[in-house]
Amino acid sequence: MSKLVARCTLFATLFALGLSGAASAGTPTQGLGQSWPNARDVSLNPHYHAYRFLSHGITYIQINDSVGNTIGAVADAGGQFIVLPIGHEESVATPQEAATTSNVAAPAGASSVVYNDGSSTVTATPMTDGTTTLIVSMDSICTDPAACGSHSP
């Protein structure tokens, strides 16, 4: 199966399970893709905003810059990530898919952790072309949420 077909199939499945249905009780799911969504900012870095949405067992993580521009977002269904078509999707890498940004840009600063829920981490790296690369990675199971920087939804 081609990468595009696999990505479209996974996106359709995630959409059917998560974005089209009702929210999990008590968890805000409105505003995905917006500059200032109806969700708590769970960022671990003051230069970014991180928002977590839960719906039907799927976690959606959105990262915005300091002024509210959406850099990128992913959906996580049990460790299977898909980059959402929000922000600069070409600048987002997951364990399943590499970022497709220009090979000309180089890191302009140190990478920093923006989000960590104990099972996944998002790091941001400013690039010389003015973009920011987001790298999503899976963590080992965290047994101490305070040490992992975990946030409740």
Side-chain angles (χ1 to χ4, degrees), residues 18-117:
L19 289 177
S20 64
S24 299
T27 303
T29 59
Q30 296 179 351
L32 182 65
Q34 295 179 354
S35 293
W36 308 108
N38 180 27
R40 187 167 60 106
D41 185 349
V42 293
S43 179
L44 298 175
N45 184 308
H47 302 292
Y48 299 95
H49 300 281
Y51 303 99
R52 179 179 180 204
F53 305 87
L54 288 174
S55 183
H56 300 283
I58 299 172
T59 301
Y60 300 88
I61 304 165
Q62 174 179 320
I63 307 298
N64 290 3
D65 66 15
S66 63
V67 295
N69 298 311
T70 301
I71 299 170
V74 296
D76 175 7
Q80 293 297 309
F81 295 91
I82 185 170
V83 177
L84 300 177
I86 299 171
H88 302 281
E89 62 186 292
E90 68 280 358
S91 298
V92 181
T94 69
Q96 290 81 25
E97 189 173 344
T100 58
T101 56
S102 165
N103 292 333
V104 177
S111 296
S112 58
V113 174
V114 176
Y115 174 85
N116 183 311
D117 64 10

